[in-house]
Amino acid sequence: MVVLEVLKGMTPGQVIEVQADRTVFGRHPHCQVVLDNAAVSRYHAQIVDVHGDYFIEDLRSRNGTHVNEELVEGRRQLQDKDLIRVCDFAFRFLYAAPGASKLLKPGQVIGDDGLAVGPSSILDSAHRKTMNVNDDEGEGDSRAITVEDDDDRSSIISTLDVGSSSSDLRLSVKPETKLKAILEISKSLSRAANLEQVLDKTLDGLFRIFSQADEGFIMLRDQEKNKLIVKATKTRRKAEGDDQVHISMTIVRKALDTSEGILSANALEDSRFKASESLSSLRIRSMICAPMLSKELGTLGVIQITTNDVGMQLRHEDLDLLISVAMQVGLAVENAYLYRQTLLQRDLERDLEFATQVQLGFLPKSRPKLPGYSFSDYYEPAQRVGGDYFDYIQLPDGRMAVALADVAGKGVPAALLMARLYSSVRYHLLSHSEVNLAMAGLNAEVSVSGLGHRFITCVLMVIDPARNQLTVVNAGHLPPLRRNTAGVVKAIGASESGLPLGILPSQTFQQTVFELAPGESWLVFTDGVTEAMRMPQEIYGNKRLMKFLETGPTKIDEIIKAVVDDVEKYVEGHPQSDDICLVGFQRLP
């Protein structure tokens, strides 16, 4: 039977049986050899059994592991009677147990006092300096709060890992005391109607459980701003006119950073703080602090209880008790937060659904019935709503206008501007006889509308069926593509294009008139088509689109469908990164 004989750290002669294939030394209660000392890392070192041979490895510990006073680097094979030292603890590795010894089972704790105890707390000895700062969050309890913004030193004497299961809590806590506390808090939680009531009732229950408590507070982390906010406080000193609650941020931050409950000693008796006036003014004697944790949300906040009575200091079992309560309260806080997020998400989904219906209402319900011409279109926002816009506007003199615009960005902000363009484009086309004047009026309106420097490209195309002519005005948009009856595709009007809308208020635009031959097709689109991407630096591109049109279908509705299918095939299942809009028309043969 392979054993470890304890030489230092408990009663000499006691042994620990090495039973498993892996025997871990460390502070954490899940270790096979739990060492109750702050100098020991949570998972410090391990002994592994490799086909009957035993090796020791240091697990990147803070203070190292030694065998026969040599620092272990990597894996080292153990020989019979090797001396193993882990900080202040010493063991002799033996292939056979000595004749007269007391056998310890794996999992028992070796304490600094030389006794085997239950699952471990973590002993530490440090100090703190304090600086009093008023809480400036403006939220939570209305009482005055003094915050100690300490450095990394503190008077922490014990910590306990909250991340372990509740069954790992110290067994010495009286079951009836823990049960009474849990039932008391559970009853309060079940009756609370909202989160604020939950926290207030929790402190009320803790003050009934801890009769020595003078101050208590609960701080929660704002999940969106990632800031700690005091949400509830309680004190017994109202009658003395001193209802100020004192907060040590060293304790709070350590509890949150390490996910450990903390027991603080009597800081006023520490010789290194005799000259600290701020610490003396706080009158803190003893303190317990427990973090509230969530698997989904991480650290939620802390609960802290403080006593100023030197004869009524808080103890290890009090820390266990507070951790048990913090687990329950943390669950209530998590549920409240998730419930609020669910409500917000439900409201957002409802608003987005309404916005989607509104935007669809702006888009044309049907395609124009213009003698001698055929129209087709496709619209697909990258999100629920988008910033691409197109419209068909029947003009009083029998002409048909096709408008298409692309608002920079996507989502709700872009959709709001798209909705405004719907009415503005119609107004200016109906108010001006010339298309270039209509674009100039639209540009002037966008420039003075207070929309900010939003990038808006737009193209207006007006078909005159009586003359079979097309007038094109482009404000910084992608050039339309023209395909003749021979299948030749050309980009039209790039040199005549003006700047996007809203850049220069007094900008003038050039219009170009084209003769429409029987059988020729025109396609105008947004960059969601040409910039569709299947991997970084590989976009669909304008050249691929033009080449596809040269060999693609001849009918305009088939052309639109074929282009959309080709783009989807090209991206190979990658999500759509931008809004896609295509509008095409064709003069019939």
Side-chain angles (χ1 to χ4, degrees):
M1 180 177 63
V2 178
V3 298
L4 295 169
E5 180 183 6
V6 179
L7 302 179
K8 182 180 180 182
M10 61 170 296
T11 304
Q14 290 183 319
V15 298
I16 302 172
E17 181 180 356
V18 180
Q19 294 179 327
D21 293 338
R22 190 170 78 113
T23 302
V24 181
F25 301 76
R27 293 195 331 258
H28 198 281
H30 290 169
C31 295
Q32 283 73 39
V33 182
V34 183
L35 304 177
D36 194 10
N37 188 294
V40 178
S41 299
R42 298 180 68 184
Y43 298 96
H44 196 104
Q46 66 178 3
I47 296 176
V48 293
D49 179 2
V50 182
H51 306 297
D53 293 326
Y54 289 85
F55 297 81
I56 188 167
E57 293 177 293
D58 185 81
L59 301 177
R60 299 180 183 272
S61 67
R62 185 172 66 253
N63 293 313
T65 305
H66 295 78
V67 174
N68 300 329
E69 294 306 319
E70 294 180 0
L71 183 66
V72 174
E73 296 182 1
R75 175 177 287 190
R76 171 169 174 161
Q77 185 172 359
L78 290 171
Q79 305 296 330
D80 190 35
K81 298 183 180 180
D82 275 348
L83 298 179
I84 300 173
R85 181 169 63 82
V86 177
C87 297
D88 294 331
F89 299 90
F91 309 86
R92 180 182 286 116
F93 177 80
L94 299 171
Y95 274 97
S101 62
K102 180 179 180 181
L103 185 64
L104 291 179
K105 296 296 183 182
Q108 280 192 278
V109 180
I110 303 175
D112 284 330
D113 55 1
L115 300 176
V117 295
S120 148
S121 63
I122 303 165
L123 298 182
D124 189 13
S125 179
H127 296 273
R128 66 186 174 189
K129 67 179 181 180
T130 64
M131 177 176 65
N132 294 339
V133 183
N134 289 329
D135 180 80
D136 58 359
E137 300 293 349
E139 301 183 47
D141 197 281
S142 60
R143 294 191 189 97
I145 300 169
T146 298
V147 179
E148 304 171 53
D149 194 3
D150 308 335
D151 60 18
D152 195 42
R153 298 175 295 170
S154 71
S155 59
I156 298 169
I157 65 165
S158 180
T159 62
L160 181 62
D161 188 357
V162 181
S164 59
S165 63
S166 58
S167 62
D168 293 323
L169 295 176
R170 198 170 288 104
L171 300 178
S172 60
V173 177
K174 294 181 179 180
E176 61 271 21
T177 303
K178 178 178 287 190
L179 179 60
K180 178 181 177 181
I182 293 176
L183 291 177
E184 189 81 26
I185 300 298
S186 297
K187 184 184 296 184
S188 298
L189 295 180
S190 64
R191 293 176 179 176
N194 53 51
L195 182 58
E196 286 70 23
Q197 290 184 5
V198 166
L199 303 181
D200 288 337
K201 290 182 178 294
T202 296
L203 285 180
D204 291 340
L206 289 173
F207 268 55
R208 286 192 293 271
I209 295 166
F210 300 120
S211 59
Q212 71 271 51
D214 291 306
E215 298 176 1
F217 67 85
I218 298 178
M219 299 181 75
L220 296 184
R221 186 186 300 278
D222 187 310
Q223 297 296 325
E224 296 178 356
K225 299 179 181 179
N226 197 29
K227 296 175 61 178
L228 287 172
I229 300 174
V230 178
K231 287 293 186 178
T233 64
K234 187 175 179 63
T235 178
R236 295 189 193 274
R237 297 188 301 276
K238 289 183 179 180
E240 303 176 20
D242 178 12
D243 60 353
Q244 191 176 59
V245 175
H246 308 100
I247 299 175
S248 170
M249 292 307 298
T250 291
I251 302 292
V252 170
R253 283 194 293 263
K254 186 172 182 63
L256 292 176
D257 292 343
T258 64
S259 300
E260 294 174 337
I262 297 171
L263 171 64
S264 175
N266 182 3
L268 296 180
E269 291 187 353
D270 196 304
S271 60
R272 285 173 285 184
F273 294 121
K274 294 298 183 181
S276 174
E277 296 181 2
S278 59
L279 185 63
S280 300
S281 65
L282 293 183
R283 300 187 303 169
I284 293 177
R285 298 293 185 178
S286 184
M287 174 193 303
I288 50 176
C289 181
M292 292 175 284
L293 308 177
S294 165
K295 291 183 178 179
E296 296 289 333
L297 305 175
T299 55
L300 301 173
V302 297
I303 304 177
Q304 183 170 303
I305 297 295
T306 302
T307 179
N308 299 329
D309 188 346
V310 70
M312 297 288 289
Q313 287 193 353
L314 295 161
R315 299 172 294 176
H316 291 288
E317 53 265 32
D318 296 325
L319 177 60
D320 286 324
L321 198 57
L322 186 64
I323 289 175
S324 299
V325 172
M327 290 178 180
Q328 293 188 75
V329 179
L331 181 60
V333 172
E334 179 183 27
N335 289 339
Y337 179 79
L338 295 177
Y339 178 68
R340 183 171 68 252
Q341 291 299 106
T342 300
L343 293 180
L344 292 175
Q345 185 64 32
R346 185 190 65 183
D347 293 342
L348 178 61
E349 287 293 325
R350 183 178 59 199
D351 292 343
L352 283 176
E353 181 62 31
F354 179 73
T356 301
Q357 297 304 318
V358 170
Q359 185 172 48
L360 292 176
F362 286 120
L363 299 177
K365 300 294 189 298
S366 60
R367 293 160 186 167
K369 304 298 182 181
L370 191 67
Y373 290 85
S374 176
F375 295 82
S376 184
D377 51 65
Y378 178 84
Y379 182 87
E380 182 67 31
Q383 300 178 4
R384 294 283 289 273
V385 291
D388 285 3
Y389 151 82
F390 81 96
D391 197 8
Y392 304 115
I393 302 104
Q394 181 69 58
L395 301 179
D397 57 5
R399 295 179 299 163
M400 177 63 65
V402 176
L404 186 143
D406 186 359
V407 178
K410 44 189 174 289
V412 174
L416 291 174
L417 292 182
M418 173 270 194
R420 175 161 184 166
L421 283 176
Y422 171 83
S423 60
S424 296
V425 169
R426 285 177 169 256
Y427 170 77
H428 290 287
L429 280 171
L430 294 171
S431 301
H432 298 88
S433 59
E434 298 296 332
V435 185
N436 60 338
L437 298 179
M439 185 72 85
L442 180 62
N443 174 69
E445 178 185 333
V446 172
S447 299
V448 299
S449 62
L451 298 177
H453 300 288
R454 179 70 68 167
F455 193 77
I456 304 174
T457 63
C458 180
V459 61
L460 299 180
M461 309 170 69
V462 177
I463 303 171
D464 185 345
R467 296 183 175 87
N468 290 315
Q469 292 179 339
L470 176 69
T471 302
V472 178
V473 179
N474 194 334
H477 197 78
L478 296 171
L481 299 182
R482 180 186 192 182
R483 188 175 98 166
N484 63 22
T485 54
V488 178
V489 179
K490 291 184 178 180
I492 302 299
S495 59
E496 294 84 6
S497 176
L499 295 175
L501 300 178
I503 295 179
L504 296 177
S506 59
Q507 181 181 185
T508 60
F509 295 88
Q510 181 178 344
Q511 67 181 24
T512 308
V513 180
F514 300 90
E515 299 294 331
L516 295 173
E520 76 174 56
S521 304
W522 285 71
L523 182 69
V524 61
F525 48 91
T526 61
D527 58 9
V529 177
T530 54
E531 294 181 3
M533 190 177 300
R534 62 182 173 189
M535 61 179 60
Q537 309 304 322
E538 287 193 28
I539 62 173
Y540 186 80
N542 202 59
K543 291 183 178 179
R544 180 186 176 94
L545 176 59
M546 294 176 67
K547 184 176 180 180
F548 179 81
L549 290 176
E550 289 176 353
T551 58
T554 58
K555 293 183 178 180
I556 192 61
D557 57 341
E558 294 177 358
I559 291 175
I560 297 291
K561 293 178 182 177
V563 169
V564 173
D565 291 342
D566 193 54
V567 171
E568 290 183 352
K569 179 181 178 181
Y570 178 83
V571 300
E572 299 178 342
H574 285 74
Q576 181 179 335
S577 59
D578 199 359
D579 304 328
I580 293 178
C581 181
L582 300 98
V583 179
F585 62 88
Q586 180 181 49
R587 182 182 174 188
L588 299 177

